[in-house]
Amino acid sequence: MLPASSMRSPARFRPGPPLRPRQRVLFLWAGALFVAGDAIFWLMFAAVLSSSGLATLDGTVHTLVVDSRSPLVNGFLAAVSGLTSPTVTSIAAGVIAVVWAVWKRELWRPAVLLGAMVVSVVLATVVKLEVTRSRPPSTDFLLGPDDALSFPSGHTLGASVLAFVLAYLLCSRSGTRTTAVLAYGAAAVLTLLVAYSRLYLGYHWLTDVVASLGVALGVLGLAVFVDAARNGRGG
């Protein structure tokens, strides 16, 4: 029989490293993100339903972007759109969460990431069914037919939520201010690139992608609030 000192205890999940910013600061950021995202979404929602505001530019922007196509850009943005489809981003989030949980022996942050993705998918589905907006003319679709509803853009929403929530979960525990700036900057560039790809490929109106950015900010604010409420330091 092996001595007790030589017996290994089973690996257990850890709570994860503590948050660096204090709870009050995170709550303020969460509230600001949620309010900003909410305002952007409802402005786009009202504009689409009333055909006013930014919605009056949808046709003009669509024509300008479609007319600017070139073979080289076509292939690049088609790849960007294919790699950031709602299905791909959902699978990517699941893989990241599983690898994170197994490697770091931590459940909370992977759960927050998955929760944010689930919320974004549900919101996109509900809003699409509520608004029932048609896509731009199918003759402008660069990658073949797509009969799904247009408002909001699922590609833009999924990619931005994955990128920004992941950046928050990583930078709120470790790294320098420079690292945070680079992480959030990369998330912003990815989001704008995906949004533009959906306009360029002809599948969405301008207000579709702007509304998705609003929803993404709201989901990010919710993720920050939930994380801070559980792990934030007082003061």
Side-chain angles (χ1 to χ4, degrees), residues 21-222:
R22 292 192 177 274
Q23 191 176 56
R24 182 186 302 170
V25 174
L26 290 172
F27 281 165
L28 289 173
W29 273 109
L33 289 167
F34 190 85
V35 170
D38 202 45
I40 292 171
F41 169 77
W42 286 111
L43 283 172
M44 295 304 100
F45 183 85
V48 169
L49 293 186
S50 62
S51 299
S52 62
L54 194 63
T56 60
L57 298 178
D58 278 339
T60 302
V61 171
H62 174 77
T63 301
L64 288 173
V65 174
V66 169
D67 289 346
S68 70
R69 289 172 175 169
S70 67
L72 181 62
V73 179
N74 290 355
F76 173 67
L77 292 182
V80 169
S81 186
L83 292 172
T84 56
S85 70
T87 300
V88 172
T89 51
S90 297
I91 293 174
V95 171
I96 292 171
V98 171
V99 172
W100 194 338
V102 172
W103 183 32
K104 294 293 187 179
R105 307 302 301 174
E106 178 190 352
L107 289 178
W108 174 251
R109 283 187 290 174
V112 171
L113 179 63
L114 285 181
M117 293 300 296
V118 169
V119 169
S120 66
V121 170
V122 171
L123 288 176
T125 302
V126 170
V127 174
K128 282 179 181 287
L129 294 176
E130 179 66 25
V131 179
T132 62
R133 189 187 200 189
S134 299
R135 291 188 184 274
S138 59
T139 53
D140 292 332
F141 292 174
L142 195 61
L143 303 179
D146 190 337
D147 57 359
L149 298 171
S150 186
F151 183 91
S153 166
H155 283 70
T156 307
L157 178 56
S160 56
V161 168
L162 176 60
F164 276 105
V165 173
L166 187 59
Y168 161 74
L169 291 173
L170 292 172
C171 295
S172 61
R173 265 73 173 189
S174 60
T176 63
R177 181 170 297 182
T178 301
T179 302
V181 170
L182 291 175
Y184 287 115
V189 169
L190 175 64
T191 297
L192 294 176
L193 184 61
V194 174
Y196 183 72
S197 75
R198 301 308 291 164
L199 299 176
Y200 183 92
L201 298 173
Y203 292 95
H204 281 287
W205 306 104
L206 175 63
T207 44
D208 296 339
V209 298
V210 175
S212 294
L213 296 177
V215 177
L217 288 177
V219 173
L220 174 60
L222 181 61

